[in-house]
Amino acid sequence: MPIRVLPPTVVNRIAAGEVIERPASAVKELVENAIDAGATRIDVTLRDGGRTLISVSDDGCGMSGEELALAVERHATSKLPGDDLTHIATLGFRGEALPSIGAVGRLAITSRQAGSDSAWTLTVEGGAKGAVQPAALGPGTRVELRDLFYATPARLKFLKAARTELDHVEDVINRLAMAHPAIGFTLTDDARPVLRLGAAATDLLADAAAARLARLAQVMGRDFADNALPLDVVREGVRLSGHIGLPTLNRATAAQQYLFVNGRPVRDRLLHGAVRGAYQDFLARDRHPLVALFLELPAEAVDVNVHPAKAEVRFRDAGLVRGLIVGACKHALAEAGHRAATTVATAALGSFRSLPPPSPWRPSATLPRGFAELAASVYAPQDDPQTAELAGVVAPAARAAAPEPASGGVSEYPLGAARAQLHATYIVAQTVDGIVIVDQHAAHERLVYERMKEALAARGIARQALLIPEIVELESAAAERLTARRDELAELGLVIEAFGPGAIVVREVPALLGIADVKGLVRDLADELAEFGQALSLKERLEEICGTMACHGSVRAGRQLTAAEMNALLREMEATPHSGQCNHGRPTYVELKLADIERLFGRR
Ligand SMILES: Nc1ncnc2c1ncn2[C@@H]1O[C@H](COP(=O)(O)OP(=O)(O)OP(=O)(O)O)[C@@H](O)[C@H]1O
Ligand SMILES: [Mg+2]
């Protein structure tokens, strides 16, 4: 067959195949164009989930008749003044979206340039471009796309139910809206309003962070806004700001973790890995926090031209970005301190009314042989207060604080004065303006766990030499990645050496882990290094064992506590970071304010 240059209609259809996958991708391109045009209001109307009609109207800068004719040409753009792909400041830059969309549907664009009193319209149907004609429209642009994929029936077959396509459109608009709180967005489907995101009020604009949080609340829910910690840090010219949820607010998937890079919503595995690293102390592995993080970095520090739909970016220094995310999240969580659980009161009040009870307590994992005993000997709950003090179960300073007499004044301590133990499981304490209910087992487990981690950090991780060094075969790239991190792994107790091209030899392992499945561990570590750039699972496994030991070594539910013991526990919780939730992201205590209780009884 002779070689030939393909005609433009075919070229555009091929290009559209990469970019326009479904109605939501067309909406994304059109809304991005409106944002780039400086719009303050963007209205999206669909029919049939976008299959028969997508219409996007904006009040942005608009286009003249000549510009309109150019806009639908392939590789025609107003966004690359200097032919420089390293300084992209707009969402678009390739001049491909409109011709691609025009190649697979019936496209009609009407636009009136700011300051002009005439509007122009142009159609492109299945790649055939019509003539520019006068039209009537206020300042701004309206793009209508009918019969998406009529020109490419193969694609049409892959469209899902209108409801599913609508969900994708909603997601696309939500993401863009989160990054642009000053713009108002609406979405209507078959004349039914689906989204109405009001622009932040002008006086709020002064406080960009407040405007953003208001928008996040609209998209991610009031719950998130109420339970979110703000963060804002700058390192080496990279700014990271945004909000992250308290660990006690968590989900079964990472779908509510959003990352924005220079105003562009992106999907990045780096984000999920970094967030997992930052929260690993507070959440069970199968629970995920909610976060919305915004990175601003110099345009040349990030390559946005790596994905056909611009949904991914590549950082010049991914390590820096990752470190920034992990560090800032950890810092924000540490700042939240033991107060992490106070916001669960609302949920608790709700559950008094109707909600089903939370899932029952389950110990996290089974212990390696022998460690249960070790944990028990070091951290066993002690009935004799002196042994308890020796074992570090009860902090000496705290124990010295005399319990308040039952009839005494109300405690000034944040977690109050213990008043009673109920069902040998819950401590009830009275605070200045409310009551606190503590799950004694969960709270104590957290305290023991924090103490074990401290000890690990102070004394280092004990290693155990393998009698017969274990040789693990890997791909050569994986083996290299592991040996490059030798020192870091040795600090965690794993001593390895290169062993020819595709293998490493393991000489020592962390004593805590035992010599169980060395090969499996090494392979997991290699995968993680490839995926996240850090060895999470070794740390996680060690901490999981700490967690399990802590669980076994903690005051069991069902044990009677004296007033002194209860107060000591409360004081130690106040002094221990992260004591507001147990190791699985469940709260260790609930605080009910008097006002809430009064409301429960209808006194307010
Ligand atoms: N809503 C709009 N308001 C004003 N001008 C617009 C609008 N939509 C498109 N344009 C103009 O048309 C040009 C082409 O748009 P198109 O989306 O095809 O390419 P792009 O946005 O430049 O790059 P990309 O293909 O990466 O989206 C834009 O550069 C812009 O000048
Ligand atoms: Mg565009």
Side-chain angles (χ1 to χ4, degrees):
M1 244 192 285
I3 299 180
R4 67 179 181 124
V5 172
L6 295 173
T9 30
V10 179
V11 171
N12 283 338
R13 250 173 235 173
I14 292 172
E18 288 198 337
V19 181
I20 310 299
E21 196 190 334
R22 58 187 347 154
S25 5
V27 170
K28 174 174 180 288
E29 293 297 335
L30 298 177
V31 172
E32 286 186 353
N33 280 348
I35 294 174
D36 282 344
T40 63
R41 236 205 105 117
I42 302 174
D43 298 303
V44 182
T45 308
L46 308 180
R47 211 175 299 141
D48 203 13
R51 184 191 284 249
T52 46
L53 173 74
I54 295 171
S55 162
V56 178
S57 303
D58 69 61
D59 61 354
C61 64
M63 286 173 274
S64 67
E66 299 85 72
E67 283 181 321
L68 190 53
L70 262 182
V72 297
E73 291 297 331
R74 191 151 188 77
H75 306 308
T77 179
S78 59
K79 302 172 189 175
L80 275 185
D83 291 351
D84 184 356
L85 279 174
T86 57
H87 282 87
I88 292 163
T90 44
L91 295 169
F93 56 87
R94 300 163 312 185
E96 288 202 321
L98 291 180
S100 296
I101 292 172
V104 294
R106 302 182 210 277
L107 178 66
I109 312 176
T110 311
S111 191
R112 178 164 137 196
Q113 197 165 33
S116 159
D117 46 17
S118 44
W120 300 92
T121 187
L122 171 70
T123 61
V124 184
E125 298 205 353
K129 183 176 152 187
V132 175
Q133 291 178 342
L137 187 79
T141 304
R142 185 174 67 223
V143 182
E144 286 176 334
L145 173 63
R146 285 170 207 278
D147 305 327
L148 180 62
F149 298 141
Y150 89 97
T152 48
R155 252 302 138 89
L156 195 57
K157 283 205 205 95
F158 283 97
L159 286 187
K160 301 270 188 310
R163 175 72 235 178
T164 312
E165 298 302 337
L166 174 64
D167 286 347
H168 285 279
V169 170
E170 207 181 327
D171 185 54
V172 155
I173 297 179
N174 274 333
R175 282 174 193 264
L176 285 164
M178 289 163 87
H180 301 276
I183 303 177
F185 293 84
T186 65
L187 169 63
T188 314
D189 181 53
D190 290 332
R192 191 176 58 89
V194 179
L195 274 182
R196 176 168 301 276
L197 303 170
T202 31
D203 56 327
L204 270 179
L205 265 184
D207 187 351
R212 182 192 279 162
L213 187 60
R215 178 57 60 81
L216 294 182
Q218 287 176 315
V219 176
M220 297 174 76
R222 195 67 258 164
D223 233 23
F224 175 72
D226 290 344
N227 288 276
L229 307 167
L231 51 87
D232 196 345
V233 289
V234 179
R235 194 193 295 167
E236 292 176 40
V238 180
R239 177 172 176 210
L240 175 73
S241 59
H243 286 82
I244 65 170
L246 289 168
T248 38
L249 181 75
N250 53 58
R251 295 276 188 278
T253 72
Q256 293 251 52
Q257 296 180 358
Y258 300 96
L259 180 66
F260 302 85
V261 177
N262 292 344
R264 183 192 304 279
V266 298
R267 294 176 196 276
D268 200 317
R269 289 150 84 73
L270 176 140
L271 170 76
H272 302 305
V275 168
R276 186 170 154 217
Y279 278 79
Q280 62 169 320
D281 246 16
F282 314 111
L283 280 176
R285 276 200 213 199
D286 57 348
R287 303 301 299 177
H288 303 268
L290 286 70
V291 308
L293 296 174
F294 300 80
L295 278 169
E296 283 149 70
L297 61 180
E300 64 272 15
V302 56
D303 189 356
V304 295
N305 190 25
V306 295
H307 185 271
K310 295 174 269 189
E312 288 170 18
V313 297
R314 195 166 296 145
F315 298 105
R316 206 179 50 193
D317 188 349
L320 169 73
V321 171
R322 179 171 209 294
L324 196 60
I325 295 179
V326 176
C329 290
K330 280 195 166 167
H331 183 75
L333 289 168
E335 294 269 279
H338 80 91
R339 289 181 307 279
T342 53
T343 44
V344 299
T346 328
L349 284 167
S351 69
F352 275 129
R353 290 172 189 129
S354 64
L355 292 178
S359 58
W361 168 262
R362 265 178 294 116
S364 41
T366 43
L367 278 173
R369 265 169 99 86
F371 286 108
E373 291 75 4
L374 173 64
S377 70
V378 183
Y379 295 107
Q382 305 292 336
D383 291 323
D384 167 11
Q386 205 179 352
T387 353
E389 186 181 315
L390 277 177
V393 172
V394 179
R399 203 171 55 82
E404 274 173 296
S407 57
V410 170
S411 173
E412 295 291 331
Y413 289 114
L415 293 180
R419 287 287 185 248
Q421 184 191 28
L422 303 182
H423 297 288
T425 302
Y426 302 104
I427 299 168
V428 179
Q430 180 173 339
T431 62
V432 174
D433 59 352
I435 63 175
V436 164
I437 306 169
V438 178
D439 176 333
Q440 71 187 43
H441 175 67
H444 196 248
E445 176 183 319
R446 186 74 207 180
L447 297 180
V448 173
Y449 175 71
E450 288 292 332
R451 212 176 296 133
M452 289 177 79
K453 274 201 321 187
E454 235 170 67
L456 271 186
R459 286 187 236 123
I461 292 168
R463 300 199 292 242
Q464 175 183 354
L466 295 179
L467 227 48
I468 304 161
E470 178 117 20
I471 293 158
V472 187
E473 313 248 349
L474 297 157
E475 285 163 39
S476 52
E480 268 167 40
R481 261 194 296 272
L482 280 170
T483 33
R485 301 289 192 109
R486 265 172 56 179
D487 297 346
E488 192 185 313
L489 293 173
E491 265 172 38
L492 290 169
L494 187 74
V495 177
I496 58 164
E497 276 164 35
F499 193 75
I504 59 150
V505 55
V506 180
R507 301 208 175 273
E508 296 176 42
V509 296
L512 268 182
L513 276 186
I515 40 178
D517 179 15
V518 177
K519 281 199 174 82
L521 173 66
V522 168
R523 295 214 170 94
D524 284 359
L525 289 172
D527 288 349
E528 278 163 16
L529 284 178
E531 192 176 337
F532 303 121
Q534 80 161 17
L536 277 171
S537 70
L538 190 49
K539 260 189 231 159
E540 271 180 2
R541 279 179 208 203
L542 289 172
E543 293 188 347
E544 197 169 298
I545 289 176
C546 285
T548 314
M549 286 170 68
C551 177
H552 282 250
S554 306
V555 181
R556 292 271 140 194
R559 199 170 81 89
Q560 292 289 346
L561 298 177
T562 66
E565 282 176 315
M566 289 192 280
N567 278 310
L569 191 73
L570 296 180
R571 299 295 80 80
E572 202 183 346
M573 284 172 73
E574 286 157 2
T576 304
H578 315 309
S579 62
Q581 68 268 313
C582 78
N583 308 339
H584 311 84
R586 288 189 292 271
T588 54
Y589 74 91
V590 174
E591 180 174 16
L592 300 178
K593 296 288 184 197
L594 277 182
D596 295 327
I597 299 169
E598 284 164 6
R599 217 166 285 132
L600 267 184
F601 288 103
R603 285 173 175 243
R604 281 189 179 225

